[in-house]
Amino acid sequence: MILEVEDIYTSYGLSQILFGISLQVDEGECVSLLGRNGVGKTTTLRSIMGLTAPRQGSVRFRAKDITGRPAYQIARLGVGFVPEERRIFPDLSVRENLEVGRKAPTTPHAMEWSVERVYEIFPVLERLNDRKGGYLSGGEQQMLTVGRTLMGNPDLLLLDEPSEGLAPLVVRDLSEQIHRLKESGLTILLCEQNAKFATALSDRAYVLEKGQVRFSGTIEDLQQNEEVRQQYLSI
């Protein structure tokens, strides 16, 4: 097991967001956190990454307790985080954005990424090598953000709403690229409101509602559970 989250409670000031979230991710899996907007998916990723420390419960990465550690320490251990808001550098070129994320592997498990390897996964970025980040489309920026995170050689990739705001054709292309990452052996925890997009990529899913896990199981189990899909995933 690469990640174990046990009974975490997280709040923003006086606003309680998570109420005893527990989940597990095994090596090489793609696991989805599903649910409507505002149910606690992003807060769960932020709690794992150390950006919003849980006030109760624990987070373990490769059996090491990382609860509440600073985000930079967690990144050095091999966790990469792709935020929903992307946060690329608009005045830097595509290549420069990727180079900013470069660091040497810090664990024996990491796959070593280079700009050229990122371009193999995202060939559109190679064609845009010299274009500044501020002149990219939303889909291109999303690919660049994922590529920049890969340059840090993570063992575990946290993806926060990667399909948000993208055109259907771009979402399809992004799905194929994430599938290639999974096939390469990268472990992925995917936070998504778009259940169709997420379930096509994932082995298992957790469905959240009001900061709690309402369902956990395989994608096949979820697809057969009409009650859960109608109650927690329908828009």
Side-chain angles (χ1 to χ4, degrees):
M1 185 185 309
I2 192 170
L3 177 71
E4 184 175 13
V5 176
E6 185 174 353
D7 201 30
I8 62 170
Y9 289 73
T10 304
S11 59
Y12 297 112
L14 298 177
S15 299
Q16 186 74 32
I17 306 299
L18 302 184
F19 299 85
I21 293 287
S22 296
L23 62 89
Q24 298 177 349
V25 181
D26 291 327
E27 194 95 30
E29 276 193 309
C30 180
V31 175
S32 291
L33 294 178
L34 303 175
R36 302 183 182 96
N37 281 336
V39 299
K41 304 187 303 295
T42 293
T43 302
T44 301
L45 294 192
R46 289 179 59 87
S47 298
I48 294 167
M49 197 65 209
L51 296 168
T52 307
R55 62 176 181 82
Q56 184 178 325
S58 65
V59 180
R60 289 185 290 276
F61 176 68
R62 294 199 180 281
K64 180 177 294 186
D65 191 344
I66 61 171
T67 314
R69 287 197 186 192
Y72 75 89
Q73 291 185 8
I74 294 173
R76 287 176 180 173
L77 291 172
V79 183
F81 179 51
V82 179
E84 180 183 356
E85 58 270 26
R86 298 165 190 156
R87 296 181 183 175
I88 61 153
F89 296 99
D91 294 327
L92 298 183
S93 70
V94 166
R95 177 173 284 270
E96 289 168 339
N97 266 278
L98 293 174
E99 292 288 359
V100 164
R102 183 191 294 273
K103 71 179 180 68
T106 55
T107 75
H109 316 280
M111 297 178 283
E112 189 162 1
W113 286 86
S114 63
V115 172
E116 290 69 31
R117 189 175 179 194
V118 169
Y119 285 166
E120 289 178 9
I121 298 291
F122 302 108
V124 68
L125 295 181
E126 184 173 18
R127 298 194 294 271
L128 299 169
N129 180 75
D130 298 320
R131 183 171 299 181
K132 289 188 176 182
Y135 292 94
L136 302 180
S137 69
E140 292 161 354
Q141 288 186 1
Q142 185 63 272
M143 295 173 198
L144 180 56
T145 307
V146 175
R148 184 181 62 190
T149 305
L150 293 174
M151 291 291 289
N153 302 300
D155 298 332
L156 171 64
L157 187 65
L158 308 179
L159 289 173
D160 189 9
E161 301 281 3
S163 75
E164 179 72 22
L166 302 183
L169 286 177
V170 179
V171 171
R172 185 194 65 188
D173 290 344
L174 184 63
S175 176
E176 292 173 358
Q177 292 150 351
I178 295 174
H179 182 70
R180 291 178 66 187
L181 290 176
K182 178 186 173 185
E183 286 192 324
S184 75
L186 187 63
T187 306
I188 300 170
L189 180 58
L190 170 63
C191 160
E192 260 294 341
Q193 184 181 4
N194 185 339
K196 183 178 179 181
F197 170 83
T199 55
L201 294 165
S202 303
D203 302 293
R204 294 187 297 111
Y206 293 85
V207 177
L208 274 58
E209 174 69 16
K210 295 182 179 179
Q212 297 179 305
V213 174
R214 302 297 188 181
F215 169 90
S216 66
T218 66
I219 297 303
E220 291 75 15
D221 291 339
L222 178 59
Q223 290 171 337
Q224 293 172 11
N225 195 323
E226 183 69 19
E227 181 181 355
V228 166
R229 290 190 290 110
Q230 286 294 324
Q231 186 170 355
Y232 301 122
L233 299 180
S234 62
I235 304 301

